[in-house]
Amino acid sequence: MRRAEQGPVLLYHRLVVWLLFLILLLPLAGTLLYSLATSWSATVLPSGLTLKWYLALWSDARFLSAFGHSLLVCFGALLLSVLLILPLLFVVHYHFPRLDGLMNVLILLPFAIPPVVSSVGLLQVYGSGPLPLIGTPWILIGCYFTVALPFMYRAISNNLLALNLRDLMDAARVHGASTWQAAFWVVLPNLRKGVMVALFLSFSFLLGEFVFANLLVGTRYETLQVYLNNMRNSSGHFNSALVISYFFFVLLFTWAANRLNKDLP
């Protein structure tokens, strides 16, 4: 009897979820259709479909340059994060496990200060003097490193907790490996999925960052989000193609991160 009653309830819940999903999907579907329309003004549906807006976007040297700048800054920040966080996490979890609680508080500090406030302080410090970094990609790499830090730390830390690090290290040392040999040849390969999840999630977030990029570099080192902001007064079809292209890349990396996350031990 209970199973018979659960059937209509489960169906109702599924219908509600799919209805909400369709409502959330409607703006994106409208943007996609507008990016493919030749013209769309006084009619319910566009008068025709075309790929010329996407061709114009991907043949625009300014867009390609901005996209390359975003990739360079994101990859630089993520590389710096991996090189600094992996050794730090190993030392904390293996030698000083009691510090993990303190580290969980410290890594959230970048989110405690609004990006606008941080940008004003950075403008004062690095706008002149011995390190004039404003307008260069180096200032963005440093800022993006602090933004990616919580994502990287938590994803890799969770992976380390699932490994039972101390037993794994003890087993490797019994077979003659030193501490750093065991960390490099035994622990690191077991962290590859956690690292990949952290990289994909961080990249998806950093690719859409606008405040730091706009205030600290602007058009002097135009990134994808700054380019999108500067092109807001151009053709709506062109901007829609840009938004859909950006959404596609973010969706691709988020999907990859979710797939890897399901396979984590």
Side-chain angles (χ1 to χ4, degrees):
M1 186 68 180
R2 289 183 178 179
R3 292 183 179 179
E5 293 177 354
Q6 289 178 353
V9 174
L10 184 60
L11 179 61
Y12 171 75
H13 289 167
R14 288 180 176 176
L15 288 176
V16 171
V17 171
W18 279 106
L19 181 61
L20 292 174
F21 178 75
L22 290 175
I23 292 175
L24 294 174
L25 195 62
L26 280 177
L28 183 63
T31 304
L32 174 63
L33 189 58
Y34 195 70
S35 69
L36 296 171
T38 54
S39 63
W40 193 3
S41 56
T43 57
V44 176
L45 295 175
S47 57
L49 299 178
T50 181
L51 292 174
K52 71 175 184 178
W53 306 113
Y54 287 94
L55 295 176
L57 174 67
W58 288 97
S59 61
D60 184 9
R62 184 180 173 187
F63 165 74
L64 295 177
S65 177
F67 187 62
H69 289 167
S70 290
L71 292 180
L72 180 62
V73 171
C74 291
F75 288 152
L78 294 177
L79 178 61
L80 180 63
S81 299
V82 170
L83 293 177
L84 293 179
I85 291 175
L86 275 178
L88 173 65
L89 277 170
F90 174 77
V91 171
V92 169
H93 280 265
Y94 186 62
H95 294 288
F96 308 103
R98 293 184 179 180
L99 291 179
D100 186 53
L102 176 62
M103 293 300 301
N104 286 327
V105 175
L106 293 178
I107 62 172
L108 294 178
L109 290 180
F111 289 113
I113 304 175
V116 174
V117 177
S118 300
S119 298
V120 172
L122 291 171
L123 286 170
Q124 296 291 328
V125 175
Y126 296 105
S128 60
L131 289 175
L133 299 179
I134 301 301
T136 69
W138 308 112
I139 189 72
L140 279 187
I141 290 176
C143 290
Y144 285 4
F145 163 74
T146 62
V147 173
L149 182 62
F151 299 99
M152 299 288 295
Y153 188 93
R154 281 272 30 107
I156 301 176
S157 180
N158 291 338
N159 200 178
L160 275 171
L161 291 174
L163 288 181
N164 198 350
L165 178 62
R166 186 163 294 277
D167 290 344
L168 192 63
M169 290 291 296
D170 291 343
R173 297 184 68 178
V174 166
H175 288 81
S178 66
T179 301
W180 290 107
Q181 285 176 333
F184 188 80
W185 296 108
V186 178
V187 177
L188 186 59
N190 285 281
L191 293 178
R192 63 186 184 277
K193 290 182 180 179
V195 173
M196 293 302 295
V197 169
L199 289 175
F200 283 139
L201 290 176
S202 301
F203 179 82
S204 300
F205 186 83
L206 293 179
L207 192 63
E209 201 286 322
F210 171 72
V211 178
F212 283 124
N214 188 50
L215 293 177
L216 297 178
V217 295
T219 56
R220 287 174 288 180
Y221 193 81
E222 193 174 44
T223 62
L224 185 60
Q225 289 298 318
V226 176
Y227 173 82
L228 177 59
N229 178 67
N230 293 334
M231 298 297 290
R232 65 186 182 276
N233 294 325
S234 62
S235 169
H237 300 282
F238 183 86
N239 286 333
S240 296
L242 175 57
V243 170
I244 292 298
S245 298
Y246 165 74
F247 179 80
F248 172 77
F249 279 102
V250 173
L251 182 64
L252 179 64
F253 278 91
T254 304
W255 172 81
N258 288 333
R259 287 297 301 270
L260 286 174
N261 193 36
K262 291 180 181 178
D263 297 333
L264 285 174

